[in-house]
Amino acid sequence: MDRLHHHLPALALGDPLHHLNIGLTPICDPRPSAPDHLTLSAAIKTGQAHLQTHDARAQWPGARLDNQGTRPLLLLEGESLSGAARGQILDHSLLVPPRSTIGLALSPLGRSSAQQPGNRPRSSGQLLFASARARSAARLSTRLFGESPYPGRPQELWEEVAHKRARMDCDDPARPGLEALYDEYAEFIAQYVAALPPRPDQIGAILAINGRVCGFELFAHPAILHELLPRIIASYALDAIECLNFTLRRPRPENPGTLLDALSSAPVMPLPLGADSELLRLAAPGLSGGALIAEGRLLHLHAYRSPFPAQPEEPPSAPPQLNG
C-alpha cells in the first residue's frame, strides 16, 4: 500500500498563532511557486466558469460545471454550492481541466434535494464546518473500505447540519443550509480570520481547538492557500465558537507536529479520477481525509483526527457567546 510521505513536498512549520480557543501552526514551503490553476470561486467571479443545475433525469443530476477558461480549476471537498435547492456540498476534491464540462458529485444539505428549474447554483465561498467535513470524509472512506471510525449509524450530512443549526440557535427556514450559521456568527468568525493571517510562504496549516489538534490543510502554492485560508479558518471557527461556552476537558496543548508525523506514514488508497489525476484516501486508524494528486503533484491534502476531538460534553442551553 502506498504511503502519503511519497507525495509530500519538503515542509517547514512556522511559529504558531492563537486566537481565543483556536491555534494555527503554519506549514511553509522553503521554495514556493506560482499556481497554474484557479479556485472555483475565482473562476466564477471572473466569468471563466459557470454552474448549472439539472434534475434527476438529466445526464448530470445535481449540477454541471463548465470551465471555459484556459487554466484548470481546483474544487475542494466540502465546498458549498448555494442557490441549488437547500444547498449542496462537493463530495470530494477534483481538478477540472481547461475548456471542459463535467458533472459534480454533490451531497444535499437539506432533507430534500429537489431542484427548481432555472435555479442556477453558485459557489458560496463557504466550506462545510470542520467537524462535519471530518465525518463526511470518514463516511466516504466507509463506503470505500467498509470500516467506520464512528460507532452506530452515521448521521446523514443534512441531519448533521440541521442539528448544528439547532444547537447554535440558527434554525431559520428562510436561510437554508450553512447560510444561517455563517450569517449569525459573521462578526465572531471575522475575529478569528483577522487574528490568524497567513505568512508569505505558507501553503498549509495545522489547526487545534481547545488545545486539541483537529485537522490539517495543505495546498501546492501560497497564492491558493492565501485565498482559501480565511474560509478554512471560518469552517473551524463554527466548531470553536460552539465549544467556547462548554465545559471541556483541557489537556496540555498537543504538539501539532505529531499530526504531521502521523500523516507522513499513513497508508493511502488511490482512486483514479481520469485526466492524470487521482484521489488518495487515508486508510489509517484515527485519521480521515484525503488528497488530490494531478500529474504527480499534490494539489490539496485535508486530514482530520477521527473522531473529531473538538466536541462539546453536553448540548448548549443558550447560543454561544464571545467576549469582546
Side-chain angles (χ1 to χ4, degrees):
M1 185 179 292
D2 198 4
R3 300 280 171 172
L4 190 58
H5 69 82
H6 294 151
H7 304 276
L8 289 174
L11 301 173
L13 298 184
D15 295 332
L17 303 173
H18 298 88
H19 180 67
L20 296 176
N21 58 339
I22 286 186
L24 185 153
T25 301
I27 302 172
C28 304
D29 186 347
R31 296 179 295 179
S33 59
D36 58 0
H37 54 272
L38 297 174
T39 65
L40 175 61
S41 295
I44 291 177
K45 184 177 181 180
T46 57
Q48 299 179 59
H50 301 278
L51 283 163
Q52 184 176 348
T53 56
H54 289 270
D55 61 33
R57 295 167 295 179
Q59 182 179 359
W60 288 290
R64 183 183 70 181
L65 173 63
D66 295 323
N67 179 10
Q68 300 175 355
T70 59
R71 300 168 70 181
L73 303 184
L74 175 64
L75 280 62
L76 300 188
E77 183 170 325
E79 191 167 358
S80 173
L81 304 181
S82 60
R86 297 179 62 84
Q88 297 177 327
I89 291 291
L90 288 164
D91 284 352
H92 59 77
S93 298
L94 72 156
L95 191 70
V96 182
R99 304 196 184 284
S100 65
T101 299
I102 67 166
L104 300 179
L106 303 172
S107 293
L109 291 179
R111 180 186 291 268
S112 172
S113 59
Q115 309 270 345
Q116 297 298 322
N119 192 20
R120 180 178 292 274
R122 64 187 185 276
S123 173
S124 70
Q126 299 166 345
L127 294 174
L128 190 63
F129 49 93
S131 60
R133 290 181 72 202
R135 284 185 284 270
S136 180
R139 282 191 291 267
L140 179 56
S141 295
T142 299
R143 295 201 301 268
L144 297 173
F145 310 132
E147 295 184 4
S148 174
Y150 296 98
R153 182 187 73 86
Q155 287 184 331
E156 295 290 342
L157 179 57
W158 67 266
E159 292 179 297
E160 194 160 351
V161 172
H163 292 165
K164 179 84 161 182
R165 285 162 54 96
R167 291 197 309 270
M168 297 184 74
D169 198 30
C170 295
D171 201 16
D172 180 359
R175 295 182 295 171
L178 299 175
E179 183 180 344
L181 289 167
Y182 277 103
D183 286 353
E184 187 70 22
Y185 294 95
E187 180 181 351
F188 301 147
I189 290 170
Q191 293 177 22
Y192 283 102
V193 172
L196 303 170
R199 292 175 33 149
D201 57 349
Q202 187 174 342
I203 60 170
I206 301 172
L207 294 113
I209 298 176
N210 288 70
R212 303 288 303 277
V213 175
C214 296
F216 176 101
E217 295 276 348
L218 184 69
F219 299 91
H221 309 282
I224 300 296
L225 180 282
H226 287 196
E227 180 183 345
L228 296 176
L229 185 61
R231 306 177 203 176
I232 293 167
I233 293 172
S235 74
Y236 278 83
L238 284 177
D239 289 309
I241 291 168
E242 192 180 6
C243 290
L244 277 172
N245 280 358
F246 300 154
T247 302
L248 294 173
R249 300 183 183 91
R250 296 179 182 268
R252 176 181 296 181
E254 294 180 277
N255 179 359
T258 58
L259 179 57
L260 183 56
D261 292 340
L263 285 171
S264 296
S265 59
V268 291
M269 296 289 290
L271 295 170
L273 294 177
D276 296 323
S277 66
E278 64 178 350
L279 288 178
L280 301 178
R281 303 306 301 186
L282 292 171
L287 294 172
S288 66
L292 175 65
I293 307 291
E295 297 181 346
R297 298 180 303 154
L298 189 149
L299 297 187
H300 178 222
L301 167 62
H302 64 115
Y304 314 91
R305 286 276 175 80
S306 184
F308 195 78
Q311 294 296 321
E313 293 181 346
E314 59 185 23
S317 57
Q321 300 292 326
L322 289 180
N323 297 321

